């Protein structure tokens, strides 16, 4: 997936070959960096969305898909450089919010549900 604007932790993880054995590669997100990480993730994820997707408030709409909406654009990357990067970000974010306020968890859950929807639709319609 596009590297422009992706979270720094993700870039570092990719740079180290997606391994967590490196002493310089953190394996978890520090809670004090959560706000910056969420902002970077959301900006990056938003930029990956195809033109036909629309936002409603902070959340992406999940329309019934027609033929013209099968082009996933920047999200349609197969292999280790594809949706695994998004899932890795959700993992790091989720590990932090699992120990925080319900509202933080709810925000993560909405993000995870959207990624799940995207992956399902890409697999079945695109």
């Amino acid at each position: 997936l596009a590297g422009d604007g992706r979270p720094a932790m993700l870039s570092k993880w990719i740079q180290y070959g997606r391994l967590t054995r490196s002493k310089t590669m953190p394996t978890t997100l520090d809670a004090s960096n959560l706000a910056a990480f969420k902002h970077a993730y959301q900006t990056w994820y938003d930029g990956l969305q195809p033109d036909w997707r629309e936002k409603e408030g902070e959340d992406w709409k999940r329309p019934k898909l027609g033929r013209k909406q099968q082009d996933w654009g920047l999200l349609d990357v197969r292999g280790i450089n594809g949706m695994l990067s998004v899932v890795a970000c959700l993992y790091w974010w989720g590990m932090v919010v699992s120990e925080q306020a319900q509202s933080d968890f709810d925000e993560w859950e909405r993000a995870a549900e959207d990624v799940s929807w995207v992956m399902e639709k890409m697999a079945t319609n695109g």
Side-chain angles (χ1 to χ4, degrees):
L1 297 174
D4 295 341
R6 73 177 160 218
M9 186 170 179
L10 177 60
S11 293
K12 193 169 186 178
W13 183 64
I14 291 170
Q15 176 187 355
Y16 282 94
R18 293 165 188 81
L19 299 174
T20 58
R21 293 184 291 242
S22 169
K23 292 180 181 171
T24 59
M25 175 62 210
T27 57
T28 58
L29 177 64
D30 188 306
S32 65
N33 296 329
L34 181 60
F37 181 85
K38 285 191 311 186
H39 177 74
Y41 167 80
Q42 199 61 59
T43 301
W44 174 65
Y45 185 71
D46 289 357
L48 296 173
Q49 299 305 308
D51 292 339
W52 54 264
R53 280 203 83 192
E54 298 176 3
K55 266 192 137 174
E56 186 171 38
E58 292 294 312
D59 298 324
W60 286 99
K61 291 182 180 180
R62 298 179 192 144
K64 184 173 181 178
L65 296 180
R67 286 181 125 7
K68 78 172 199 173
Q69 295 153 333
Q70 292 181 353
D71 181 8
W72 286 93
L74 296 174
L75 284 170
D76 195 10
V77 175
R78 308 292 187 220
I80 61 173
N81 293 317
M83 292 300 290
L84 176 61
S85 296
V86 176
V87 172
C89 289
L90 288 174
Y91 170 78
W92 294 318
W93 179 5
M95 293 301 290
V96 173
V97 299
S98 67
E99 301 172 3
Q100 297 197 350
Q102 184 66 39
S103 61
D104 291 329
F105 180 81
D106 292 346
E107 183 181 12
W108 172 85
E109 188 174 42
R110 285 192 312 275
E113 287 172 353
D114 190 72
V115 170
S116 177
W117 180 86
V118 166
M119 291 172 66
E120 177 186 340
K121 297 306 177 191
M122 285 176 63
T124 58
N125 293 333

